[in-house]
Amino acid sequence: MFKGGEKKFTLNDSGSPHVVQHGFLKYPTRLNFYDDAPLFDISIEEFETAAIDRLRILAEIESSAARNRTWEELKTVTNAQCAKYLPLNSNTAKNNDIESERRKDHLGHFILRLAFCRSEDLRRRFIKAETTLFKVRYEGDVFSEREQFLNSRDFNWVPVTKAEKQEHWNELLSSYHGSKIEAERRKAFEAEKYYKVKWTRVPDLVEKRRVFLAGGWAFVPGREQSSIIYHEFEVHIEKALEITARMLPRLDEDTRLMPILDNLSQGFLAGISSEWSNPAGENADELKAEMIDDLSKKHFPMCMRTLHDSLMRDNHLKHFGRLQYGLFLKVLGLSVEEAIVFWRKSFSRITDDKFNKEYKYNIRHSYGLEGKRANYPAKSCLQILTPGPSDHGCPYRHYSVENLQSALLSTYSHRGLTSADLPEIMAQVKAGHFHVACTRVFEITHSSRGVKKGEGIGGGESVTHPNQYAARSMELDKPQVEGEAMVIEA
């Protein structure tokens, strides 16, 4: 599966690693049941990229379900995420490396199998998200390519003959859902093809009474054929995950893979975010130390607002809280010179000599100006959600119910959040969807800026990084500020 020293690893059908020769797979269609493991060599970097980009999409699918989005809304958001992180173009697309796209899709699926096979809960969530992704792709696929995919597999359905259809005519017609106009419905029914499958393969259609049952068989109209395919996909992935789980202990000896898989399995907790960077040094010239307090009240997510308030109250922050908040401000656009001014003013109870000796070096170090001169990124929601001291964790996860509700009202009441909004937010918290709760708070507190429920930080995307939250909030505020300035000048 990846290159490491002289060995080249891949995954066999059970999901366990073994050494192989160079291989190459063709992908005739975009739709894939992922029957065969990828048989090609990759680097650790490609391993991580393929998995993380796919996990971004699956995490957003689960977030959409938690936010009760309609099917059409979910499709819109999922397609937008796929276009950004995991594009799959049709065979007729020009100027696209179709093989490379499908290879990445194939690879990412199998890597996430390894990450999410290790518990019943992870398997259940992975199967649900993957099946939803398959449904979105199936509905949006080109008809000819979808037919090519269906013809490439044996779905073990039996076409219903004309004689059988005639025999059960009345029963089939009564269960047929179509136009409310009887003449149109009957005409569509007469032209409809039917397939027989064991009723256990279409439980959703049985539940909705959309099929006729006879002798243990379900008579499925062609328009409902997709239900057979979706159920087949779900069962196929479930069996594959169970096999992979039994084989996973073989990977324990590989110290390179297990940490990556451990991190990936946490991906549903807060979505997946790339290292957030400040595009082209935006705000670098305009963000000053004296502006931070006001910005925190208007634009900071609750985790950073909590750190800021603690700093203002105590004139001090513990090391990890200081590191987390300092990197957040750095990426927000605060220069190192202004950062030194900000922290010196905030640490007002100590002398200049103590500040210069114990804190100034660390500030410059976080900007890559001391030590190994690394450009440290700000922490993402996933990193912040990792259990730790309450002064630098995620309030939605680490606060008690009572404290969280009080903190939400005291922090955001001036931005339009009321007690009537709390039940919806707390329901997401209790379900473990912490980043969804934060996203909903963003929507509520920015409704006056035109943000509607379900839009998230834009395009339906959920909050996955504190800087993402703050940057979007500041961006939404700019048009109004500029408009007000124009009115004053006039």
Side-chain angles (χ1 to χ4, degrees), residues 134-146:
F134 181 83
K135 289 179 180 180
V136 171
R137 288 175 170 174
Y138 184 88
E139 285 193 11
D141 203 11
V142 178
F143 177 79
S144 60
E145 292 185 29
R146 185 164 59 194

Side-chain angles (χ1 to χ4, degrees), residues 23 34 38 97 107 132 151 169 171 207 215 227 232 252 260 300 334 340 349 363 372 393 438 443-444 456-457:
Y34 307 102
D97 188 350
L107 177 62
T132 301
N151 292 332
W169 185 273
E171 293 88 347
E207 181 183 7
S227 289
E232 191 81 3
D252 288 344
I260 298 174
F300 287 9
L334 192 68
I340 292 172
R349 298 180 185 177
I363 296 170
K372 62 179 182 179
C438 185
E443 292 171 344
I444 293 169
I457 59 167

Side-chain angles (χ1 to χ4, degrees), residues 33 81 293 299 427:
F33 262 49
Q81 290 289 93
D293 189 56
H299 305 297

Side-chain angles (χ1 to χ4, degrees), residues 192-221:
E192 190 74 79
K193 291 182 179 179
Y194 274 81
Y195 302 88
K196 286 194 304 185
V197 295
K198 291 297 183 181
W199 72 269
T200 52
R201 293 180 60 191
V202 284
D204 57 328
L205 297 181
V206 173
E207 181 183 7
K208 297 173 183 176
R209 301 188 177 186
R210 301 180 74 91
V211 292
F212 166 64
L213 302 178
W217 292 92
F219 287 66
V220 182

Side-chain angles (χ1 to χ4, degrees), residues 218-280:
F219 287 66
V220 182
R223 64 193 300 171
E224 303 285 1
Q225 189 182 35
S226 58
S227 289
I228 304 173
I229 300 162
Y230 299 157
H231 185 259
E232 191 81 3
F233 179 86
E234 188 173 334
V235 170
H236 178 74
I237 299 302
E238 183 177 9
K239 290 179 180 178
L241 282 173
E242 290 173 355
I243 295 173
T244 304
R246 292 198 293 270
M247 305 301 292
L248 192 65
R250 297 184 186 180
L251 280 178
D252 288 344
E253 63 187 37
D254 199 310
T255 57
R256 295 164 295 180
L257 276 186
M258 294 312 295
I260 298 174
L261 297 178
D262 288 336
N263 289 332
L264 289 172
S265 65
Q266 294 292 318
F268 278 144
L269 190 65
I272 291 293
S273 174
S274 59
E275 294 179 356
W276 190 262
S277 61
N278 193 339

